[in-house]
Amino acid sequence: MYIGKAAGQDGLNQRLADYRRHGTGLLAGHWGGRYIWQLADSDTLLVAWQPTTEEDPGEAEQDLIDEFKELHGGALPFANLRNNARKAPETDASIG
């Protein structure tokens, strides 16, 4: 499993095209999830997506990663090599 995000003008179609292109060994702007292509049956895997209502796709991605980790003893999904750190909420640091 690999959890990623697609945002911006090109969105999901371009992101998946880049991901497939990387899997065939061609240059692509997608490096995340590269371990998927090392699986013997990578050509039979399914792609699923979930539209979100969150403004920040990174937040939605992290929510899914956190849910996966909670269900699987803290482990990241197979092809996610790192945990995206959540940004700390901004606070008013004024000194009076």
Side-chain angles (χ1 to χ4, degrees):
M1 175 177 277
Y2 170 65
I3 297 174
K5 65 183 177 300
Q9 183 177 357
D10 296 327
L12 184 61
N13 286 333
Q14 186 62 49
R15 190 73 167 156
L16 290 176
D18 290 345
Y19 194 60
R20 283 190 303 271
R21 198 167 33 258
H22 180 81
T24 62
L26 299 174
L27 292 177
H30 196 295
W31 188 245
R34 61 190 173 273
Y35 283 5
I36 288 293
W37 304 115
Q38 297 177 25
L39 297 172
D41 62 349
S42 64
D43 60 336
T44 65
L45 299 176
L46 299 175
V47 173
W49 63 91
Q50 175 181 341
T52 66
T53 57
E54 294 183 40
E55 276 191 40
D56 180 3
E59 187 74 21
E61 176 188 34
Q62 189 60 52
D63 288 346
L64 289 171
I65 290 172
D66 289 346
E67 184 178 346
F68 183 94
K69 287 171 52 180
E70 186 175 317
L71 292 170
H72 299 280
L76 287 169
F78 166 72
N80 286 84
L81 301 181
R82 62 187 170 87
N83 189 32
N84 298 332
R86 287 193 186 268
K87 293 179 185 172
E90 292 186 25
T91 60
D92 183 4
S94 60
I95 299 175

